[in-house]
Amino acid sequence: GHISASNIDGDAFLRTGGGHIHAARIGGVATLETGGGNIHVDSAGSNVTANTGGGLIDFGEAAGAIRAHTGGGAVRIERVSGPTEVDASGGNVFLRQVDGPLQVSAATGNITAWFDGNKEAPAAPSKSGRKIGGSSRLLCNQGDIIVYLPRDLGVTIDAVIEQGRAHRILTDPSLPLQVSYQDSGSGREVHGEGNLNGGGDVLHLKAVSGNILLKLVEPSSDIGACNRTWPWR
């Protein structure tokens, strides 16, 4: 059967053989397990382990370490409000309205992240923009990494594709990225480096077997509109 819970101030262990799990807010450490249903949490403030045999794993807001496993569904977080770790195996990962640094690892499927960043108070009339608030790392073994960045974000890009003969780095024409290639006996590695708005926190992107796609958007742009602006779609 299904499990439905309202606000939980402490730790939570919710387990069902095959139904859905829904919780409003979980303040402590949480373990959520279902044999095949969806998992939805409105807000998670601490570490969460979520496992489903084939459903969707969905968080409204997260600010902690999330370890997610799904046999075929996606992992989705609507808002990342603080330093967050996501370790996913199986399915695509979608991270929207990212206001803090990320550590994301996906075994299979794509990683898509919409960075928003925190607006900085200008230190001088000529200086303004956004910062992530710390270095981030996105690692994908079998799939693409797709990243949306605000045009006024100060960030340093460090992108690597291990199997670069079959895959490539695709960037917005206005994003200053220098791409280099290194051939070896095992294949070709592609490396892209660049600073946006003078640089800032480092965004490490690594795809083993997949493409890396970078797109600049206006701050707080509509996500649906962002999807329509991709020239290679």
Side-chain angles (χ1 to χ4, degrees):
H2 306 313
I3 296 176
S4 179
S6 58
N7 293 334
I8 302 173
D9 293 331
D11 299 340
F13 180 82
L14 308 178
R15 181 179 182 181
T16 175
H20 302 315
I21 296 176
H22 179 274
R25 178 181 58 84
I26 301 178
V29 177
T31 299
L32 314 172
E33 299 180 357
T34 173
N38 299 329
I39 297 175
H40 175 80
V41 179
D42 292 346
S43 176
S46 186
N47 297 351
V48 178
T49 299
N51 295 290
T52 174
L56 167 71
I57 298 176
D58 181 31
F59 290 87
E61 182 174 353
I66 296 176
R67 292 171 179 84
H69 177 271
T70 173
V75 177
R76 182 175 63 199
I77 303 176
E78 289 295 320
R79 184 185 179 194
V80 178
S81 58
T84 300
E85 301 178 15
V86 178
D87 183 4
S89 54
N92 298 323
V93 178
F94 300 92
L95 305 165
R96 306 204 291 183
Q97 196 177 342
V98 179
D99 296 332
L102 282 176
Q103 303 291 326
V104 182
S105 176
T108 59
N110 302 330
I111 298 175
T112 304
W114 287 267
F115 281 87
D116 192 9
N118 297 307
K119 184 70 174 178
E120 287 194 329
S126 60
K127 181 182 178 182
S128 63
R130 297 170 183 267
K131 297 293 182 181
I132 299 175
S135 63
S136 296
R137 185 179 302 274
L138 278 61
L139 170 62
C140 189
N141 287 327
Q142 297 181 15
D144 298 336
I145 298 176
I146 306 166
V147 177
Y148 295 93
L149 300 170
R151 292 186 181 276
D152 62 348
L153 182 69
V155 66
T156 297
I157 305 294
D158 178 25
V160 175
I161 298 177
E162 287 193 354
Q163 298 180 15
R165 292 192 183 277
H167 304 94
R168 56 183 177 149
I169 299 175
L170 303 171
T171 67
D172 190 288
S174 59
L175 179 61
L177 200 71
Q178 181 177 357
V179 179
S180 60
Y181 304 89
Q182 182 175 352
D183 293 322
S184 64
S186 58
R188 166 177 285 188
E189 181 178 282
V190 182
H191 190 196
E193 297 177 289
N195 294 325
L196 180 61
N197 296 312
D201 301 311
V202 182
L203 176 58
H204 300 278
L205 307 172
K206 183 176 181 180
V208 176
S209 179
N211 303 307
I212 295 178
L213 297 78
L214 299 169
K215 178 64 178 179
L216 297 183
V217 297
E218 298 303 325
S220 302
S221 291
D222 175 70
I223 292 174
C226 291
N227 285 329
R228 293 192 293 271
T229 61
W230 285 98
W232 41 78
R233 294 275 177 170

